[in-house]
């Protein structure tokens, strides 16, 4: 008989502990390793301040910590987008009992109301038979959506022989700062790039953030104008980099600009001595985009939903 876990609200002072927890899961390469550790850093230092600027509910309100009787962190439930798409992570020896308790709690607290019905959605690794069994027992059905965590072994990456007049730069160059925000804001339809500008004052304080890993693609015909950008988040424990966000200005989309930026970035990271680069992406279109650039499968998450009368 296992002792029930206790759930606690997440507070920023637990950030380092949570980051270590994701690191430990990732090293084990189990079905719970569906988030690169730096994705939590990205969510904490970029998603959270941006949502605050846009008046969206605090992202940290959707993170809960699960501890055993000794106070050890053994589970996390969260929703990156401050919505009702739950992710579950557990390192408990009694995984089934822990997931069952976490799912039951989430069904009571993390749902939305639609037409008089309670609706909850969540993600499960396609190989996580325990969680999938639990979801089916509670009336969840698999939806169409899939999220992928992809990886590229930079030791196998070869620099493209194709030539390009575009130039790779980073935010070490202060002249690119505002243009970079305009590029990302337009790509993701953010109301004002000034929201990004102010949010980045917090982002730059992230322990894994480096300006020289915040990449910008520049068209020399238009000096100091960023046409594509992506941010790399370093993970010191395994010498890897996580890329997010990845954006191409709308007027340059569909012209191969994203591929050019990605190949430039991979070459730069390889020269800096990084071993692996990871991306998380949604849908088959973007998955194939990264596959063509040399990425391969790491984990696949399936989407599940459940609806019942309120």
């Amino acid at each position: 008989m296992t002792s029930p876990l206790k759930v606690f609200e997440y507070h920023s002072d637990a950030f380092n502990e949570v980051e270590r927890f994701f690191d430990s899961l990732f090293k084990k390469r189990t079905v719970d390793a569906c988030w690169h550790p730096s994705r939590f850093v990205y969510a904490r230092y970029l998603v959270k301040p941006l949502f605050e600027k846009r008046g969206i509910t605090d992202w940290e309100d959707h993170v809960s910590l699960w501890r055993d009787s000794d106070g050890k962190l053994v589970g996390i439930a969260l929703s990156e987008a401050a919505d009702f798409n739950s992710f579950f992570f557990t390192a408990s020896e009694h995984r089934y009992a822990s997931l069952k308790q976490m799912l039951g709690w989430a069904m009571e607290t993390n749902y939305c109301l639609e037409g008089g019905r309670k609706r909850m959605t969540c993600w499960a690794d396609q190989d996580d038979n325990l969680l999938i069994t639990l979801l089916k027992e509670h009336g969840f059905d698999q939806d169409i959506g899939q999220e992928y965590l992809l990886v590229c072994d930079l030791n196998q990456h070869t620099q493209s022989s194709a030539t390009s007049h575009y130039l790779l730069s980073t935010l070490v160059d202060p002249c690119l700062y505002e243009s970079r925000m305009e590029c990302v804001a337009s790509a993701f339809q953010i109301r004002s790039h000034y929201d990004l500008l102010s949010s980045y004052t917090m982002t730059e304080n992230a322990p894994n953030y480096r300006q020289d890993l915040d990449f910008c693609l520049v068209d020399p015909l238009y000096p100091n104008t960023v046409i594509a950008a992506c941010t790399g988040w370093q993970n010191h424990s395994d010498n890897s980099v996580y890329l997010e966000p990845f954006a191409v200005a709308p007027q340059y989309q569909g012209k191969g600009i994203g591929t050019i930026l990605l190949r430039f970035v991979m070459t730069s990271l390889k020269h800096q001595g990084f071993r692996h680069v990871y991306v998380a992406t949604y849908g088959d279109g973007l998955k194939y985009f990264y596959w063509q650039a040399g990425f391969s499968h790491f984990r696949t998450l399936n989407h599940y939903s459940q609806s019942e009368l309120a």
Side-chain angles (χ1 to χ4, degrees):
M1 185 70 179
T2 61
S3 301
L5 304 179
K6 294 183 179 180
V7 60
F8 296 84
E9 293 182 357
Y10 170 80
H11 297 288
S12 297
D13 56 4
F15 172 81
N16 290 334
E17 181 185 21
V18 171
E19 187 181 18
R20 290 193 298 270
F21 177 83
F22 277 111
D23 260 330
S24 67
L25 292 181
F26 207 70
K27 290 175 181 176
K28 295 176 183 177
R29 295 294 196 264
T30 66
V31 291
D32 287 290
C34 54
W35 266 38
H36 187 275
S38 291
R39 181 171 176 178
F40 185 79
V41 183
Y42 155 77
R44 169 67 178 81
Y45 282 91
L46 184 53
V47 174
K48 172 183 167 63
L50 182 58
F51 278 13
E52 289 175 347
K53 291 295 180 182
R54 300 173 69 184
I56 303 175
T57 180
D58 188 348
W59 170 76
E60 290 183 341
D61 291 344
H62 293 256
V63 181
S64 60
L65 308 182
W66 297 77
R67 301 185 183 277
D68 62 16
S69 56
D70 296 323
K72 180 182 177 181
L73 179 62
V74 295
I76 296 176
L78 61 80
S79 174
E80 180 190 52
D83 54 19
F84 301 97
N85 282 295
S86 294
F87 293 85
F88 303 104
F89 309 89
T90 178
S92 171
E93 297 177 6
H94 309 284
R95 192 167 183 274
Y96 184 84
S98 300
L99 285 173
K100 186 175 181 179
Q101 187 179 347
M102 293 169 71
L103 177 60
W105 172 86
M107 292 177 64
E108 293 296 324
T109 60
N110 199 31
Y111 61 85
C112 63
L113 292 175
E114 294 180 351
R117 301 184 69 87
K118 292 168 59 177
R119 175 176 169 80
M120 180 186 169
T121 60
C122 65
W123 296 94
D125 189 284
Q126 66 177 7
D127 297 323
D128 192 345
N129 295 323
L130 285 180
L131 180 54
I132 292 172
T133 298
L134 274 171
L135 292 172
K136 291 181 177 179
E137 289 177 353
H138 286 79
F140 283 78
D141 296 314
Q142 184 177 337
D143 296 332
I144 298 175
Q146 286 186 308
E147 181 176 296
Y148 305 98
L149 180 59
L150 308 176
V151 60
C152 178
D153 183 347
L154 293 175
N155 290 327
Q156 305 299 319
H157 170 69
T158 56
Q159 186 170 353
S160 174
S161 59
T163 59
S164 171
H165 74 283
Y166 299 107
L167 303 176
L168 182 69
S169 187
T170 69
L171 280 190
V172 171
D173 183 352
C175 296
L176 299 177
Y177 203 86
E178 185 162 355
S179 178
R180 189 264 191 212
M181 303 307 165
E182 291 177 346
C183 171
V184 176
S186 61
F188 291 105
Q189 299 179 338
I190 298 173
R191 182 173 60 251
S192 170
H193 74 279
Y194 291 107
D195 288 346
L196 272 176
L197 280 169
S198 56
S199 298
Y200 255 73
T201 59
M202 183 173 181
T203 300
E204 291 170 345
N205 292 322
N208 297 31
Y209 177 80
R210 288 170 42 181
Q211 281 191 328
D212 62 327
L213 296 182
D214 212 327
F215 298 99
C216 305
L217 194 66
V218 178
D219 187 340
L221 297 177
Y222 305 96
N224 298 330
T225 299
V226 176
I227 62 173
C230 70
T231 302
W233 304 82
Q234 181 180 8
N235 184 37
H236 297 279
S237 66
D238 66 352
N239 198 31
S240 67
V241 172
Y242 175 72
L243 298 180
E244 192 170 6
F246 190 100
V248 178
Q251 64 270 34
Y252 286 90
Q253 293 176 7
K255 300 179 180 180
I257 299 300
T259 299
I260 294 172
L261 172 62
L262 187 57
R263 292 193 180 279
F264 278 176
V265 168
M266 291 163 65
T267 298
S268 175
L269 293 175
K270 181 178 180 178
H271 287 166
Q272 293 183 58
F274 291 104
R275 294 177 56 189
H276 295 94
V277 58
Y278 293 84
V279 294
T281 189
Y282 179 84
D284 288 341
L286 286 173
K287 178 182 72 172
Y288 293 133
F289 164 74
Y290 286 108
W291 275 6
Q292 290 174 344
F295 283 77
S296 59
H297 171 267
F298 187 81
R299 301 241 62 97
T300 297
L301 298 176
N302 292 326
H303 195 242
Y304 290 82
S305 65
Q306 184 245 41
S307 178
E308 62 182 21
L309 286 174

